[in-house]
Amino acid sequence: ELPDETKVYQIGETFGGYDLISSYVSNGQLSSQFNFNLYDTAIPVFFDSESSFEMLDNQMQKTFQVYGVNHLMGNLVSSHDKIRYMAYADGDLEINDGRASDFAWTNPPKVDNPSSYDKLKLHLAYILTIPGVPVIYYGDEIGMTGASDPDNRRMMRFDDDLNENEKQTLKDVSKIIHIKKNHPALRYGDFLTLKADKNIYAYVRSDMNERILVVINKSELEQNVDLTLPAIYSERKASELITGESLQVKENVIKINIGGISYLILKLN
């Protein structure tokens, strides 16, 4: 029997609408569930150049309505029942591809394009900076690929069994995780959307101590973005938490140049 002070976080896996999924959480049966409704919107938005982040932001707001902004729902990019994200990123399989089961046995995907790792990191930067609990399925942190079950359950590889792209992906994902750990606004802060269009998703996480601005560019081309911050912020500058680059905020506007398939995580000062 567990001591009274022991806290257990339980996450469930239920496929269905918000009412069904939340029914297990709202009555205390589970701490949380995988947020498949958000996943099912995020995957096509990130991969379809014509799909707007506005669709994803709308689904985010729906999640907040159901669970609150500070919720414990699990945000994921891959799982033991889903095609690996890298198989989509590398163009091996289409979303919900009917060939995935055959591919698992006859033509297991391998990663051909180095840029696919950037696409994965972009999505991980997203789930590691939004409200909820990020779920990193083993191998996501190195860019492991795979079709559907059983190919999405390959043996894990470590250290010298990783190629250079996988090693770099692990380093970059670790940096984002450490930023999340060191900046409570990314864990407990509120959520303000600044921009959500075909290429750019920009939002601010704020708590009592700090404001963190996240900018995601899913286009393969670099983008110049002007973001208007709420006047109440009265911020003067921003520092990028990975590179240390400093940017000015003039009359509540911050001008940002962001590379193709890139993310920025900035602390507003």
Side-chain angles (χ1 to χ4, degrees), residues 9 15-16 39 50 59-60 62 64 72 205 245 247-248 256 263:
Y9 173 78
F15 295 94
Y39 167 93
E50 295 304 308
Q59 194 68 254
M60 296 268 288
K62 173 67 175 175
F64 300 156
L72 295 174
R205 303 289 311 277
E245 181 186 0
L247 297 172
Q248 298 301 309
I256 289 175
Y263 53 88

Side-chain angles (χ1 to χ4, degrees), residues 27-243:
N27 61 13
Q29 291 183 63
L30 292 167
S31 313
S32 77
Q33 295 250 40
F34 289 134
N35 197 352
F36 285 124
N37 289 295
L38 192 62
Y39 167 93
D40 287 338
T41 302
I43 295 288
V45 165
F46 269 84
F47 286 126
D48 180 3
S49 61
E50 295 304 308
S51 290
S52 174
F53 277 121
E54 185 179 9
M55 288 173 56
L56 182 56
D57 191 59
N58 289 341
Q59 194 68 254
M60 296 268 288
Q61 303 303 326
K62 173 67 175 175
T63 293
F64 300 156
Q65 287 172 16
V66 177
Y67 303 110
V69 173
N70 276 299
H71 58 80
L72 295 174
M73 293 294 285
N75 300 315
L76 66 162
V77 300
S78 305
S79 85
H80 61 285
D81 283 335
K82 296 289 187 183
I83 295 167
R84 286 269 188 183
Y85 193 85
M86 282 297 279
Y88 294 140
D90 208 48
D92 295 303
L93 290 164
E94 301 294 324
I95 294 165
N96 298 321
D97 201 316
R99 303 169 299 161
S101 294
D102 290 338
F103 271 38
W105 299 101
T106 62
N107 190 18
K110 59 182 187 297
V111 182
D112 300 308
N113 305 302
S115 66
S116 299
Y117 293 96
D118 294 329
K119 293 176 182 176
L120 171 74
K121 284 181 268 190
L122 195 69
H123 204 116
L124 286 170
Y126 160 70
I127 70 160
L128 283 161
T129 56
I130 62 172
V133 177
V135 177
I136 298 185
Y137 181 48
Y138 84 92
D140 282 348
E141 71 277 23
I142 61 170
M144 188 184 288
T145 189
S148 56
D149 177 15
D151 195 42
N152 56 6
R153 308 181 187 190
R154 299 179 186 181
M155 289 294 286
M156 184 59 186
R157 291 179 287 107
F158 301 94
D159 303 326
D160 292 337
D161 287 336
L162 306 185
N163 65 39
E164 291 309 308
N165 285 317
E166 291 171 331
K167 289 177 181 175
Q168 187 61 48
T169 298
L170 179 59
K171 287 180 185 174
D172 292 341
V173 173
S174 297
K175 284 179 186 173
I176 308 170
I177 292 171
H178 280 93
I179 288 172
K180 185 179 184 72
K181 181 181 178 182
N182 294 331
H183 294 275
L186 290 175
R187 303 198 303 277
Y188 311 117
D190 57 18
F191 187 94
L192 174 68
T193 304
L194 294 185
K195 195 176 193 67
D197 61 21
K198 276 207 315 190
N199 296 319
I200 299 293
Y201 197 15
Y203 46 88
V204 177
R205 303 289 311 277
S206 302
D207 68 2
M208 296 293 288
N209 301 307
E210 61 181 357
R211 295 188 176 101
I212 304 293
L213 167 63
V214 179
V215 186
I216 290 168
N217 174 24
K218 67 176 174 126
S219 167
E220 294 184 357
L221 304 174
E222 74 174 37
Q223 303 287 314
N224 291 302
V225 188
D226 290 359
L227 297 172
T228 303
L229 303 173
I232 196 171
Y233 282 12
S234 65
E235 308 289 5
R236 299 286 174 84
K237 63 178 181 176
S239 53
E240 215 284 323
L241 292 173
I242 296 172
T243 65

